[in-house]
């Protein structure tokens, strides 16, 4: 996973956590749900990057 992708995913996750917390404090269900979606999106992207990295590792193992 590239550093830029990892940082972007982490930023999206943190933004989602902040939105979720703000939604809980202000009793704003829409903002809370949006924060949860942002976190889920960041997690999905991170897992995709990890899968891509694993595929590259397998490819490299066969090329040795």
């Amino acid at each position: 996973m590239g550093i830029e992708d990892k940082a972007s995913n982490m930023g999206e996750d943190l933004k989602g956590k902040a939105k979720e917390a703000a939604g809980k404090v202000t009793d704003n269900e829409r903002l809370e749900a949006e924060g949860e979606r942002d976190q889920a999106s960041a997690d999905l992207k991170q897992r995709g990057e990890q899968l891509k990295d694993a595929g590259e590792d397998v490819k490299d193992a066969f090329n040795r």
Side-chain angles (χ1 to χ4, degrees):
M1 178 182 322
I3 298 288
E4 295 157 355
D5 292 332
K6 189 173 185 177
S8 175
N9 293 341
M10 187 178 293
E12 187 173 352
D13 184 56
L14 291 173
K15 180 179 77 169
K17 287 179 181 180
K19 282 183 182 180
E20 182 181 6
K24 285 181 181 180
V25 168
T26 60
D27 200 29
N28 183 333
E29 291 178 3
R30 177 182 276 171
L31 186 59
E32 189 176 342
E34 187 176 326
E36 290 172 354
R37 280 192 308 270
D38 287 349
Q39 290 175 68
S41 174
D43 185 52
L44 184 61
K45 289 176 185 177
Q46 184 176 0
R47 290 179 190 273
E49 288 293 328
Q50 290 171 343
L51 183 60
K52 185 172 113 181
D53 289 345
E56 289 292 324
D57 291 344
V58 169
K59 179 181 167 187
D60 290 344
F62 280 107
N63 288 333
R64 288 185 191 170

